[in-house]
Amino acid sequence: AKAMPLSGRLSGRSAREYLDDLSSGNVLKRALGIATLNALSAACWDAMDHREYELELGTDAFDEVRLGRLPEYTVVVGALVPIIKKLIAAEASFHILEMDPSTLKPKELVYYVHADRAAEFVPQADRLVITGTTVLNGTLQGLLHMARPEAEIVVTGPTASMLPDAFFAHGTTLMGGILVTKPDELLDVISEGGSGYHFFGRSAERLVIRRPEVRESGCVAPRAKALS
């Protein structure tokens, strides 16, 4: 009851009440606030006649990370298995910032550094691939502030499925999330223990949100110093 004091009383709450919980000290309340923000973002996209960025359905953000031939250093924030596998296969130079080393396999631990050491590694990165969980736990702002202005920054995960303007204004070049297309069907699948294998392409789609000048020019535009 203490962890989620609103259990049994969530139905009927207004969207504004959920959004007010974005600043809550309770992580479960914040998660519901973010879920509400993501849902409202999808409604906004449906209503928009024009966007300053690109939405690509059916695209995996990890597939959009292009490993070049030139020496480059990547920092992965979180145990993001697909990109970690890709970097290992490419024999790339990288580290994994993670709070819990038990989430990594033995061959991945070679690249592990504790997340508390972010200030040592993030400013060196040519590329950052950041779990969307940082939106939930409040650490994304600090990571973006540490990053080099010219760094490629990818924020990905179901949490990062919202209007991207603030992210792009502070250096993010690409976001990867999920767009729910058939909510009732998705809830049925999840309630029956289903996973992405069961709902992608059916009741939800992978989503990539791309800052347009990145595709057009291949460069990264200047960003503001800190999130407001």
Side-chain angles (χ1 to χ4, degrees), residues 72-177:
E72 55 188 6
Y73 174 58
T74 300
V75 170
V76 180
V77 181
L80 299 173
V81 174
I83 191 62
I84 292 171
K85 286 184 175 180
K86 188 172 184 176
L87 290 163
I88 291 175
E91 299 182 345
S93 173
F94 76 101
H95 281 101
I96 305 165
L97 290 176
E98 171 59 51
M99 294 292 291
D100 183 5
S102 68
T103 60
L104 301 173
K105 296 179 180 179
K107 67 178 181 180
E108 298 166 347
L109 285 171
V110 177
Y111 307 94
Y112 164 76
V113 291
H114 195 275
D116 287 346
R117 299 177 63 190
E120 298 177 46
F121 293 88
V122 170
Q124 302 179 46
D126 301 299
R127 176 188 299 111
L128 285 164
V129 184
I130 304 173
T131 173
T133 304
T134 56
V135 178
L136 177 60
N137 64 25
T139 58
L140 180 61
Q141 176 176 341
L143 293 167
L144 295 180
H145 185 68
M146 293 177 204
R148 292 163 50 190
E150 68 274 17
E152 174 189 353
I153 303 176
V154 178
V155 180
T156 184
T159 312
S161 306
M162 61 187 70
L163 294 172
D165 305 70
F167 295 83
F168 290 165
H170 296 88
T172 303
T173 50
L174 185 140
M175 295 174 65

Side-chain angles (χ1 to χ4, degrees), residues 200-227:
F200 280 129
R202 298 178 177 87
S203 54
E205 296 285 352
R206 290 182 175 87
L207 170 69
V208 161
I209 313 171
R210 188 190 310 277
R211 204 170 73 191
E213 67 267 21
V214 174
R215 168 166 284 184
E216 292 169 4
S217 65
C219 65
V220 178
R223 65 170 184 271
K225 289 294 184 181
L227 289 172

